[in-house]
Amino acid sequence: MKIAVVGGGPAGMYFSILVKKAMPEVEINIYEQNKLSDSFGFGVVFSDETLSEFLTKDPRSYELIRSKFAYWDNLDVYRDGEVVRITGNGFCGCSRRTLLELLAQRCAEEGVTIHSQHRINSLKDVPESDIIVAADGINSVIRTELQADFGTVVLPKKNKFVWMGSTKPLDAFTYFFKTTAHGPFVAHSYQYEEGKSTWVIETTEETFEKAGFVVDDEAGTKMKLEAIFAQELDGHPLLTNKSHWRSFPLVTNTRWHKDNVILLGDAVATAHFSIGSGTKLAMQEAIALAQSVIENKEDVQQIFASYEANFRPHVEAIQNAANISMAWFEGMDRHVEQADFMAFAFSVMSRSRKVTYENQAIRDKAFTQQVLAAFNARTKQKEGQSPAFSTYKLREMNLPNRMVMSAMGQYSAVDGRVQDWHLMHYGSRATGGVGLIVSEMTAVSDSGRISPGCAGIYTEQQAQEWERIVDFVHTNSSAKIAMQLGHAGPKGAVQRLWQGAFEPLNGQGWPLKAASAKPYGSGYPIPKAIDRAEMQEIIEQFVSAAKRADQAGFDMIELSACHGMLLASFLSPLTNLRDDEFGGALENRVKFPVQVFEAIRSVVDSQKPISVKISVEDWKVGGNTINEGIAIAKAFKDAGADLISVTSGGTVPDQQVKEGPMWQVPLADAIKHDVGIPVMAIGQFTTIDQINTTLLADRADLIAMGKTLLVNPGFVLQSAAYEQESLDSLVPAPYRVGIPQLNKTQAWMRKEFERMKVALKPQSHR
């Protein structure tokens, strides 16, 4: 077999080493356009986990690399003079030039031929080979030539960054956050050899413009940044090497191979530098491709198919984490302004959702104890209080803990009347210890229901049935209960979830209403665009429903303005096509939903809070983004809302969204800090650790769970035992005999989880 590798970077060389070592008979040629001694940038960084992988795959490369690396366990977070050191984070740094020289040495030892200063401008320039590996970087000429076949997308991201160095010695990976008159800057800094450190300096596009930087003005950039980071540099200069400002290019490819060409390294995928070196991901890809070559011998298509099938999920997971981390830095202005420094530092550490409170505690318990102490001090809780079980107050509603049962449709009502099922459903979650229950979206009119099985509160009888549930919750638990009021709008008249997965009722439904005469999706009925008279009628329906809910004893009202329902259909440009005063610009689209809110606020007991649930992202080109979501939340805050329940999507059926644990936390975070209003975070919380992590980073005030509590009504009680919280006030008297057993079981589980996490912690390579 003959393999041609285009690009002599770490990915191409490491792949060649591994294949040649395992299959000496294979001829491998590397074609590199630059000299082997040429290198742009300064240092690269690897984690203990990555070093362990290198040790397993090629001990000789590992030893060479290890002999030249600077190693550290510590990570420092600086913010305008404040600093905290976080230990137990094993990393090492190395000069990029040194790394290339060491890998070139290994190539020579194994018999890989490197053709330096050999530029490949086209596939036609590549000598005939069985496999062509395109490892020629972000601007890959091979990938560009076959861009349509690979489905390549290169998306420049928002922030600006510049790659520089310094003679400033560092004994920790350090984030230097600096606030200037123009806006925030951050330096991602680490030592890579004696007397040399890498400084990747990043800022927002707005700050870049305000500060007057010029993309390719190295001298001017150096001078300005040395002034900004004068205290941190401590008299040391910044070093340049083609140090021009750039926007990070996010590279993705729908397909990774075409005929006998396979993509590798930055040519196939990029991951933002904030989660570690892109070199790390490139070399992991090299390992995976080499393994596929070794396992599948000369079956080229099987080599490619196996490589992509086995490693694409890993690459996409890394990219997803990197994108989440990158988004945090794109919004770093809101984080830098956080009042509590320890919450800020913990937000830095947990930003990508890969680090949580519990696994950070395994690495550095002193740091997490500081974070917890800071939380309890600012929220006026007792020492050592678990965040999830801390109290919270909205107006005169006092919650015993921060965990909320999210609105989850039961589709089990009869003529809008809740049944014994609902008493059991809400009662069991209340006696299961949640701090707040939010009812399923309850219709304000018969035609406002989603399905024939939806609950309503548009008659006195319906209100009386709800009052029975409210009384049970208040009598048998410390939980509070909120009524979510809504109108299905264009998403009404559909089958129950388990009967037809929300398919239209096919002639058995009812007329639908919406902002515009646009169906929710293909095959759905066309709703009527409501006029001014109908708007007033709907406002009156909401007011009547709110009065009934207030009189029934609900502790809070939540207004549903999300997921493409009636009020949400006004908010999104995807569904609001009106040309009157309620359409067009956002300030017009928000008018009617705000009018509804103001109307119900005027009739509900002033001691009771009212929240609004909004979709802050539509996840569809042309729809609302977080910027519009922030503006919508601000409009409701100005109207008197006490809380924003932050969700997203559901506006159109062809949305493109990437879900995962805590996936909507960044949205809640943005609303909380940019609008300055309490928020409820929603989105696949499944563990108490995830809840505590979000609260400690000050990214939300309440945590809502839906599906988690549907399948496990005892989640909160189990979590209380796991957190060693007292269960006496949470468990109803008839059940308290079970407390000792629950405490014993959860204590054992916690001990086992911690033992497992310690065992899985990567070995140190110091």
Side-chain angles (χ1 to χ4, degrees), residues 570-573 576 580-595 624 628 631-632 635:
F570 276 84
L571 295 173
S572 174
N576 185 338
D580 62 3
E581 64 179 295
F582 297 97
L586 180 59
E587 56 264 32
N588 292 337
R589 302 200 306 270
V590 78
K591 281 182 181 178
F592 178 59
V594 167
Q595 287 176 4
N624 285 334
E628 288 76 29
I632 292 167

Coordinates of all heavy atoms in Angstrom, one line a residue, residues 570-573 576 580-595 624 628 631-632 635:
F570 N -46.8 35.5 18.0 CA -46.6 36.9 17.8 C -45.2 37.3 17.9 O -44.7 38.2 17.3 CB -47.4 37.7 18.8 CG -48.9 38.0 18.4 CD1 -49.8 37.0 18.7 CD2 -49.3 39.1 17.8 CE1 -51.2 37.2 18.3 CE2 -50.6 39.3 17.4 CZ -51.5 38.3 17.7
L571 N -44.4 36.6 18.8 CA -43.1 37.0 19.1 C -42.0 36.7 18.0 O -41.1 37.4 17.8 CB -42.6 36.3 20.4 CG -43.4 36.8 21.7 CD1 -43.0 35.9 22.9 CD2 -43.2 38.3 21.9
S572 N -42.3 35.6 17.3 CA -41.3 35.1 16.3 C -41.6 35.7 14.9 O -42.7 35.6 14.4 CB -41.2 33.6 16.2 OG -40.4 33.2 15.2
P573 N -40.5 36.2 14.2 CA -40.7 36.6 12.8 C -41.0 35.4 11.9 O -41.5 35.6 10.7 CB -39.4 37.2 12.4 CG -38.4 36.6 13.4 CD -39.1 36.4 14.6
N576 N -45.0 35.4 12.8 CA -45.7 36.7 12.7 C -45.4 37.4 11.4 O -44.3 37.9 11.2 CB -45.3 37.5 13.9 CG -46.1 38.8 14.0 OD1 -46.7 39.3 13.0 ND2 -46.1 39.4 15.2
D580 N -49.4 45.1 10.5 CA -50.1 46.2 11.3 C -49.1 46.5 12.5 O -48.0 46.1 12.5 CB -51.5 45.8 11.8 CG -51.4 44.5 12.7 OD1 -50.3 44.0 13.0 OD2 -52.5 44.1 13.1
E581 N -49.7 47.2 13.5 CA -48.8 47.6 14.6 C -48.4 46.4 15.5 O -47.5 46.6 16.4 CB -49.6 48.6 15.5 CG -50.8 48.0 16.2 CD -51.5 49.0 17.0 OE1 -50.9 49.4 18.1 OE2 -52.7 49.4 16.7
F582 N -48.8 45.2 15.2 CA -48.4 44.1 16.0 C -47.5 43.2 15.2 O -47.2 42.0 15.6 CB -49.7 43.3 16.4 CG -50.6 44.0 17.4 CD1 -51.7 44.7 16.8 CD2 -50.3 44.1 18.7 CE1 -52.5 45.4 17.7 CE2 -51.1 44.9 19.5 CZ -52.2 45.5 19.0
G583 N -47.0 43.6 14.1 CA -46.1 42.9 13.3 C -44.9 43.7 12.9 O -44.7 44.8 13.2
G584 N -43.9 43.0 12.2 CA -42.7 43.7 11.7 C -41.6 43.7 12.8 O -41.2 42.6 13.2
A585 N -41.2 44.8 13.3 CA -40.1 45.0 14.2 C -40.5 44.3 15.5 O -41.7 44.2 15.9 CB -39.8 46.5 14.4
L586 N -39.5 43.9 16.3 CA -39.7 43.2 17.5 C -40.5 44.0 18.5 O -41.4 43.5 19.2 CB -38.3 42.9 18.2 CG -38.4 42.1 19.5 CD1 -39.2 40.8 19.3 CD2 -37.0 41.8 20.0
E587 N -40.3 45.3 18.6 CA -41.1 46.2 19.5 C -42.6 46.1 19.2 O -43.4 46.3 20.1 CB -40.6 47.6 19.5 CG -40.6 48.3 18.2 CD -39.2 48.3 17.5 OE1 -38.5 47.2 17.7 OE2 -38.9 49.2 16.8
N588 N -42.9 45.8 18.0 CA -44.3 45.6 17.6 C -44.8 44.2 17.9 O -45.9 43.9 18.4 CB -44.6 45.9 16.1 CG -44.4 47.3 15.8 OD1 -44.5 48.2 16.6 ND2 -44.1 47.6 14.5
R589 N -43.9 43.2 17.6 CA -44.3 41.8 17.8 C -44.6 41.5 19.3 O -45.3 40.6 19.6 CB -43.2 40.9 17.3 CG -42.9 41.1 15.8 CD -42.2 39.9 15.2 NE -41.0 39.4 15.9 CZ -39.8 39.9 15.6 NH1 -39.6 40.8 14.7 NH2 -38.8 39.4 16.3
V590 N -43.9 42.2 20.2 CA -44.0 41.9 21.6 C -45.2 42.6 22.3 O -45.6 42.2 23.4 CB -42.7 42.3 22.3 CG1 -42.6 43.8 22.6 CG2 -42.5 41.5 23.7
K591 N -45.9 43.5 21.5 CA -47.0 44.3 22.1 C -48.1 43.5 22.7 O -48.5 43.6 23.9 CB -47.5 45.3 21.1 CG -46.7 46.5 20.9 CD -47.3 47.4 19.8 CE -46.5 48.7 19.6 NZ -47.1 49.5 18.6
F592 N -48.7 42.6 21.9 CA -49.8 41.8 22.3 C -49.5 40.9 23.5 O -50.2 40.9 24.5 CB -50.5 41.1 21.2 CG -51.7 40.2 21.6 CD1 -52.8 40.8 22.2 CD2 -51.7 38.9 21.4 CE1 -53.9 40.1 22.6 CE2 -52.8 38.1 21.8 CZ -53.9 38.7 22.4
P593 N -48.4 40.1 23.4 CA -48.1 39.3 24.6 C -47.9 40.1 25.9 O -48.3 39.7 27.0 CB -46.8 38.6 24.2 CG -46.9 38.5 22.7 CD -47.6 39.8 22.3
V594 N -47.3 41.3 25.8 CA -47.1 42.1 26.9 C -48.4 42.6 27.4 O -48.7 42.7 28.7 CB -46.1 43.3 26.6 CG1 -46.2 44.3 27.7 CG2 -44.7 42.7 26.5
Q595 N -49.3 43.0 26.5 CA -50.7 43.4 26.9 C -51.4 42.3 27.7 O -52.1 42.6 28.7 CB -51.5 43.8 25.7 CG -51.1 45.1 25.1 CD -51.9 45.4 23.8 OE1 -52.8 44.7 23.4 NE2 -51.5 46.5 23.1
N624 N -36.0 34.1 15.8 CA -35.4 34.8 17.0 C -34.1 34.1 17.4 O -34.0 32.9 17.4 CB -36.3 34.8 18.2 CG -37.5 35.8 18.0 OD1 -37.3 36.8 17.2 ND2 -38.6 35.6 18.6
E628 N -32.7 38.6 20.4 CA -34.2 38.9 20.4 C -34.8 38.4 21.7 O -35.7 39.0 22.3 CB -34.9 38.4 19.2 CG -34.6 39.1 17.9 CD -33.3 38.7 17.3 OE1 -32.8 37.6 17.6 OE2 -32.7 39.6 16.6
A631 N -34.2 40.8 24.4 CA -35.1 42.0 24.3 C -36.6 41.6 24.7 O -37.2 42.4 25.4 CB -35.1 42.5 22.8
I632 N -37.0 40.4 24.4 CA -38.3 40.0 24.8 C -38.4 39.9 26.3 O -39.4 40.3 26.9 CB -38.7 38.6 24.1 CG1 -38.9 38.8 22.6 CG2 -40.0 38.0 24.7 CD1 -38.9 37.5 21.8
A635 N -38.7 43.2 27.9 CA -40.0 43.8 27.7 C -41.0 43.3 28.8 O -41.7 44.1 29.4 CB -40.6 43.5 26.4

